[in-house]
Amino acid sequence: MKIIKTLALGLTVAAATQMTHAADTGFDMQTVDPEADRIALQKYFKSRFPESDIADYVNGIYAVDAGSREQWEELEEFPPYEFDVEQGEELFNTAFANGKGYADCFENGGIGIRQNFPYWSKEEGTVKTLEQEINECRVNNGEEPLKWGKGAIAQISAYMAWTSRDKVFDIKIPADDERAKAAYLDGKKFFYAKRGQLNLSCANCHVQGSNIAIRADLPSPQLGHVTHFPVFRSKWGSLGTLHRRYSGCHKDSRSKPLKPQAEEFRNLEYFQSYMSNGLVANGPGSRK
Amino acid sequence: MKKGLIIAAALAMAPTLATAASFQEAFESNRAMHGNDHVFEWKGGKYHTNHEEEMEARVKATKANAADLLAKAKAKNAEVAKLGFEWKLTGGILKDAQKAIDEGDYQKALNLAAQAKYHARIGIQQYHYAQKNWHLSVPE
């Protein structure tokens, strides 16, 4: 009898813990808890794919689908982004007309810093991304901004990511600025809200739907999504930035896609990058 | 004996459960099964399966009527765009509707404008649904 009572008490406590935990991640400014979100997401994927190591999620779908991984590993023997990294290095080191260069705009000369992006700028009251700062660097030095999405901006970003490989993401949400938390919450809400004619949220494919075939494609898990960008996608036949992918995904739900670097996408990147805290930067990557 | 009673109770409850659907649910299921221009019964009343925009397009196919419905569709789409929930194809449909007016095909223009207005209306509904329910798929 005593055993049954103890067991019942134990189960009640366990259930209560679960219930308390269920309210932890928060859905408004008073309750949202980014760290609880990150832990809950890891727990979710650990439960979905118990064989996969959390650290391996930087490899996207290849962390959870053995068949896809095999093909990808073959592809990585001669990485399709290699020439882009070389080109990116050349562009990065080419001086602007005023004699200055990208290295003058970034901390540590722009080397090994990818994992710090995006970040919350208190001065500007907005989320700043790496590509945004590459273009700001150009404009501040009298150069024309590059087109977002692909081409030179993706190559420069790829080179900077290359120099940052294995650095650990540690995105901060400053506690002394509520606007940062609001931007994070906005990104979280964007990720989980259904939209478009197909009534799909990002989460429908990349949380609940990850590794479940959509025609011939297997959607990647949201955990580790940002770590390997920019990516060379076989579908594109070229290198592209994270926001190029965001526009494509947005369009896939039959929503009118936002432009790369729109505030909504930068907030989404902020949320997704926080989810990747603790994982390493491994861009550029190659994907189907 | 007990089994028989349960089955009888379930059978007796079935019609109640079937009529417990909201009007929206009854409309959607009849629309999905029969398409437009179908009449169905709900709580003693008779209703058709047409969307309000389809009814709006059933006016005399004149330039003025087509332009009027197109203006309403554009306004509705601007409303959903402001909410950030505009659908991908709506802009193109609006352009096609204008083109049909320019070419004098007013019935086509009415149909396209109705379609665009429907997209925008459902996009607005989707926005409000998302505001209330986005949290439901967040892992906890």
Side-chain angles (χ1 to χ4, degrees), chain A residues 21-22 25 27 40 44 189 192 194-197 199 208 251 254-256, chain B residues 84-89 119 126 129-131 133-135 137-140:
Chain A
H21 196 75
T25 71
F27 307 111
Y44 173 85
K189 199 169 168 182
Y192 288 103
K194 284 172 175 287
R195 63 188 71 239
Q197 195 173 0
N199 202 30
Q208 296 87 9
K251 206 188 287 180
R254 286 207 195 158
S255 290
K256 184 179 178 187
Chain B
F85 273 62
E86 184 180 356
W87 289 4
K88 183 177 116 181
L89 304 177
H119 278 201
Q126 187 179 47
Y129 178 87
Q131 299 313 301
N133 299 293
W134 68 272
H135 62 282
S137 63
V138 179
E140 294 289 344

Side-chain angles (χ1 to χ4, degrees), chain A residues 226-261:
Chain A
V226 299
T227 64
H228 45 271
F229 273 85
V231 300
F232 187 103
R233 281 187 90 207
S234 305
K235 184 186 170 185
W236 293 337
S238 67
L239 194 74
T241 63
L242 179 64
H243 287 225
R244 180 181 179 190
R245 189 72 194 95
Y246 279 167
S247 287
C249 262
H250 204 187
K251 206 188 287 180
D252 287 344
S253 72
R254 286 207 195 158
S255 290
K256 184 179 178 187
L258 294 165
K259 301 280 181 217
Q261 302 301 326

Side-chain angles (χ1 to χ4, degrees), chain B residues 21 23-35 38 40 49:
Chain B
F23 175 78
Q24 193 59 29
E25 286 165 339
F27 178 90
E28 296 298 348
S29 81
N30 276 281
R31 171 83 188 191
M33 280 195 292
H34 304 286
H38 171 74
F40 66 98
T49 55

